[in-house]
Amino acid sequence: MADVSAEEKKKQEQKAPDRDAIHRATANLPACSTDRAAVQTTMRDFQTELRKILVSLIEVAQKLLALNPDAVELFKKANAMLDEDEDERVDEAALRQLTEMGFPESRAAKALRLNHMSVPQAMEWLIEHAEDAAIDAPLPGQASPAAAGAAAATPEAAAGTSEGDQEVRDELTDIFKKIRRKREFRADARAVVSLMEMGFDEKEVVDALRVSNNQQNAACEWLLGDRKPSPEELDQGIDPNSPLFQAILDNPVVQLGLTNPKTLLAFEDMLENPLNSTQWMNDPETGPVMLQISRIFQTLNRT
């Protein structure tokens, strides 16, 4: 009996406290509540500031990398890696399914891009728009095959004329421009079409989606509202003399990251495609840099 009683006593001691016990233990603690609105505002402020930080850090990284004797080769490799972009490719199996049903390949490809590679939705779109006069027109922001071929030929022609005594810095600048063009913001094609059907022209729709991170509803609100912030404001950097930017530049992890070409690619990508931030936050090379930037912002924001 003694052994049983000891065992029961031990179980009672290991049991989690009930609600009354918790209330009694915490009765004298000061009340503390989290202002959810303030937290959400802080998160919004960070997203706004992050864009400005990235704009300025890209300039710093370009200057640092220009001093690296291997920078040209490193960025040539990076440029080559970007040649095959996921957003430009069409799912071959999905395309084959639609062409086997009798749909023309160009229409099927357009339908798949508009419907995020979903075969059933693409098929519905093709049937619904079969009689549309503009069904074969290229998507907004997408060149026709002939124009694409001409554009592809241009860099090669330019490269031919620039052979000779071209400075390394000029070559590196040219590679930067090519990389930036490949990482440019791409408006969601379906959202563009939907918003243009409401009467807005293509340029203002693309601007709205860029400001709204490709969120169609937010873009619609921007178009119907005061249109703030403006697209031009998105390209403004942070004050280089601000305590926040100085603290970021003084961080050893950030300093090391700015000498890595992959960090510059990440900054460029996040600048124009904020939804890709998670991918770079989880990357073993760029993640620590982003983590330090976030921590520095949160620390200075509390003071």
Coordinates of all heavy atoms in Angstrom, one line a residue, residues 190-225:
R190 N -3.0 36.4 -65.8 CA -4.5 36.3 -65.7 C -5.0 37.6 -65.0 O -6.1 38.1 -65.3 CB -4.8 35.1 -64.9 CG -6.3 34.7 -64.9 CD -6.5 33.3 -64.4 NE -7.9 32.9 -64.6 CZ -8.4 31.7 -64.4 NH1 -7.6 30.8 -64.0 NH2 -9.6 31.4 -64.6
A191 N -4.3 38.1 -64.0 CA -4.7 39.3 -63.3 C -4.7 40.5 -64.3 O -5.6 41.3 -64.2 CB -3.8 39.6 -62.1
V192 N -3.7 40.5 -65.1 CA -3.6 41.6 -66.1 C -4.9 41.6 -67.0 O -5.5 42.6 -67.2 CB -2.3 41.5 -67.0 CG1 -2.4 42.5 -68.1 CG2 -1.1 41.8 -66.1
V193 N -5.2 40.4 -67.5 CA -6.3 40.3 -68.4 C -7.6 40.7 -67.7 O -8.4 41.5 -68.2 CB -6.5 38.9 -69.0 CG1 -7.8 38.7 -69.7 CG2 -5.3 38.6 -69.9
S194 N -7.8 40.2 -66.4 CA -9.0 40.5 -65.7 C -9.1 42.0 -65.4 O -10.2 42.6 -65.5 CB -9.0 39.8 -64.3 OG -9.0 38.4 -64.5
L195 N -8.0 42.7 -65.0 CA -8.1 44.1 -64.7 C -8.3 45.0 -66.0 O -9.0 46.0 -65.9 CB -6.8 44.5 -64.0 CG -6.7 44.0 -62.5 CD1 -5.3 44.2 -62.0 CD2 -7.8 44.6 -61.6
M196 N -7.7 44.5 -67.1 CA -7.9 45.3 -68.3 C -9.3 45.2 -68.8 O -9.8 46.1 -69.4 CB -6.9 44.7 -69.4 CG -5.5 45.1 -69.2 SD -4.3 44.5 -70.4 CE -4.9 45.4 -71.9
E197 N -10.0 44.0 -68.5 CA -11.4 43.9 -68.9 C -12.3 44.8 -68.1 O -13.4 45.1 -68.5 CB -11.8 42.4 -68.6 CG -11.3 41.4 -69.6 CD -11.6 40.0 -69.3 OE1 -12.1 39.8 -68.2 OE2 -11.4 39.1 -70.2
M198 N -11.7 45.4 -67.0 CA -12.5 46.4 -66.2 C -12.4 47.8 -66.8 O -13.0 48.7 -66.3 CB -12.0 46.4 -64.8 CG -12.3 45.1 -64.0 SD -11.5 45.1 -62.4 CE -12.4 46.4 -61.6
G199 N -11.5 47.9 -67.9 CA -11.4 49.2 -68.5 C -10.0 49.9 -68.3 O -9.8 51.0 -68.9
F200 N -9.2 49.4 -67.5 CA -7.9 50.0 -67.3 C -6.9 49.6 -68.4 O -7.0 48.5 -68.9 CB -7.3 49.5 -65.9 CG -8.1 49.9 -64.7 CD1 -8.8 48.9 -64.1 CD2 -8.3 51.2 -64.3 CE1 -9.6 49.1 -63.0 CE2 -9.1 51.5 -63.2 CZ -9.8 50.5 -62.5
D201 N -5.9 50.5 -68.7 CA -5.0 50.1 -69.8 C -3.9 49.3 -69.2 O -3.7 49.2 -68.0 CB -4.5 51.4 -70.5 CG -3.6 52.3 -69.6 OD1 -2.8 51.8 -68.9 OD2 -3.8 53.5 -69.7
E202 N -3.1 48.7 -70.1 CA -2.1 47.7 -69.7 C -1.0 48.3 -68.8 O -0.7 47.6 -67.7 CB -1.4 47.1 -70.9 CG -0.4 46.0 -70.6 CD 0.3 45.4 -71.8 OE1 -0.3 45.5 -72.9 OE2 1.4 44.8 -71.6
K203 N -0.5 49.5 -69.1 CA 0.6 50.0 -68.3 C 0.1 50.3 -66.8 O 0.9 49.9 -65.9 CB 1.0 51.3 -68.9 CG 2.2 51.9 -68.2 CD 2.6 53.3 -68.7 CE 3.9 53.8 -68.0 NZ 3.7 53.9 -66.5
E204 N -1.0 50.9 -66.6 CA -1.5 51.2 -65.3 C -1.8 49.9 -64.5 O -1.6 49.8 -63.3 CB -2.6 52.1 -65.3 CG -3.9 51.7 -66.0 CD -5.0 52.8 -66.0 OE1 -4.7 53.8 -65.4 OE2 -6.0 52.6 -66.6
V205 N -2.2 48.9 -65.2 CA -2.5 47.6 -64.6 C -1.2 46.9 -64.1 O -1.1 46.4 -63.0 CB -3.3 46.6 -65.6 CG1 -3.2 45.2 -65.0 CG2 -4.7 47.1 -65.7
V206 N -0.2 46.9 -65.0 CA 1.1 46.4 -64.6 C 1.7 47.1 -63.4 O 2.2 46.6 -62.5 CB 2.1 46.4 -65.8 CG1 3.5 46.0 -65.3 CG2 1.6 45.4 -66.9
D207 N 1.6 48.5 -63.4 CA 2.0 49.3 -62.3 C 1.3 48.9 -61.0 O 1.9 48.8 -60.0 CB 1.8 50.8 -62.6 CG 2.8 51.4 -63.6 OD1 3.8 50.7 -63.8 OD2 2.5 52.5 -64.1
A208 N 0.0 48.7 -61.1 CA -0.8 48.4 -59.9 C -0.4 47.0 -59.4 O -0.2 46.9 -58.1 CB -2.3 48.4 -60.3
L209 N -0.1 46.1 -60.2 CA 0.3 44.7 -59.8 C 1.7 44.8 -59.2 O 2.0 44.0 -58.2 CB 0.2 43.7 -60.9 CG -1.2 43.4 -61.4 CD1 -1.2 42.6 -62.7 CD2 -1.9 42.5 -60.3
R210 N 2.5 45.6 -59.7 CA 3.9 45.7 -59.2 C 3.9 46.3 -57.8 O 4.5 45.8 -56.9 CB 4.7 46.6 -60.1 CG 6.2 46.7 -59.7 CD 7.0 47.4 -60.7 NE 8.4 47.5 -60.2 CZ 9.0 48.7 -60.1 NH1 8.4 49.8 -60.5 NH2 10.3 48.8 -59.7
V211 N 3.1 47.4 -57.6 CA 2.9 48.0 -56.3 C 2.3 47.0 -55.3 O 2.6 47.0 -54.1 CB 2.1 49.3 -56.4 CG1 1.8 49.8 -55.0 CG2 2.9 50.3 -57.2
S212 N 1.4 46.2 -55.8 CA 0.6 45.3 -54.9 C 1.1 43.9 -54.9 O 0.4 43.0 -54.4 CB -0.8 45.3 -55.4 OG -1.3 46.6 -55.5
N213 N 2.4 43.7 -55.3 CA 3.0 42.3 -55.2 C 2.2 41.3 -55.9 O 2.0 40.1 -55.5 CB 3.3 41.9 -53.8 CG 4.3 42.8 -53.1 OD1 5.0 43.5 -53.7 ND2 4.2 42.8 -51.8
N214 N 1.6 41.6 -57.1 CA 0.8 40.7 -57.9 C -0.5 40.2 -57.3 O -1.0 39.2 -57.7 CB 1.7 39.5 -58.3 CG 2.2 39.6 -59.8 OD1 1.6 40.2 -60.6 ND2 3.2 38.8 -60.1
Q215 N -1.0 41.0 -56.3 CA -2.2 40.6 -55.7 C -3.3 41.4 -56.4 O -3.4 42.6 -56.3 CB -2.2 41.0 -54.2 CG -1.1 40.4 -53.4 CD -1.2 38.8 -53.3 OE1 -2.3 38.3 -53.2 NE2 -0.1 38.1 -53.5
Q216 N -4.2 40.6 -57.1 CA -5.2 41.3 -58.0 C -6.1 42.2 -57.2 O -6.4 43.3 -57.7 CB -6.0 40.2 -58.7 CG -7.0 40.8 -59.7 CD -7.7 39.7 -60.5 OE1 -7.1 38.6 -60.8 NE2 -9.0 39.9 -60.9
N217 N -6.7 41.7 -56.1 CA -7.6 42.6 -55.3 C -7.0 43.8 -54.8 O -7.6 44.9 -54.9 CB -8.2 41.8 -54.1 CG -9.1 40.6 -54.6 OD1 -9.6 40.6 -55.7 ND2 -9.3 39.6 -53.7
A218 N -5.7 43.7 -54.3 CA -5.0 44.9 -53.8 C -4.7 45.9 -55.0 O -4.8 47.1 -54.9 CB -3.7 44.5 -53.1
A219 N -4.4 45.3 -56.2 CA -4.1 46.1 -57.4 C -5.4 46.8 -57.8 O -5.3 48.0 -58.2 CB -3.6 45.2 -58.5
C220 N -6.5 46.2 -57.7 CA -7.8 46.8 -58.1 C -8.1 48.0 -57.1 O -8.5 49.1 -57.6 CB -8.9 45.8 -58.0 SG -10.5 46.5 -58.6
E221 N -7.8 47.8 -55.8 CA -8.0 48.9 -54.8 C -7.1 50.1 -55.1 O -7.5 51.2 -55.0 CB -7.8 48.4 -53.4 CG -8.8 47.4 -52.9 CD -8.6 46.8 -51.6 OE1 -7.6 47.3 -50.9 OE2 -9.3 45.9 -51.1
W222 N -5.8 49.7 -55.5 CA -4.9 50.8 -55.9 C -5.3 51.6 -57.1 O -5.3 52.8 -57.1 CB -3.5 50.1 -56.1 CG -2.4 51.1 -56.4 CD1 -1.6 51.7 -55.4 CD2 -1.9 51.6 -57.6 NE1 -0.6 52.5 -56.0 CE2 -0.8 52.5 -57.4 CE3 -2.3 51.4 -59.0 CZ2 -0.2 53.1 -58.4 CZ3 -1.7 52.0 -60.0 CH2 -0.6 52.9 -59.7
L223 N -5.9 50.9 -58.1 CA -6.3 51.6 -59.3 C -7.5 52.5 -59.0 O -7.7 53.5 -59.6 CB -6.7 50.5 -60.4 CG -5.5 49.8 -61.0 CD1 -6.0 48.5 -61.7 CD2 -4.8 50.7 -62.0
L224 N -8.4 52.0 -58.1 CA -9.6 52.8 -57.8 C -9.4 53.8 -56.7 O -10.2 54.7 -56.5 CB -10.7 51.8 -57.3 CG -11.2 50.8 -58.4 CD1 -12.1 49.8 -57.8 CD2 -11.9 51.6 -59.6
G225 N -8.2 53.8 -56.0 CA -7.9 54.7 -54.9 C -7.0 55.8 -55.3 O -7.0 56.3 -56.5

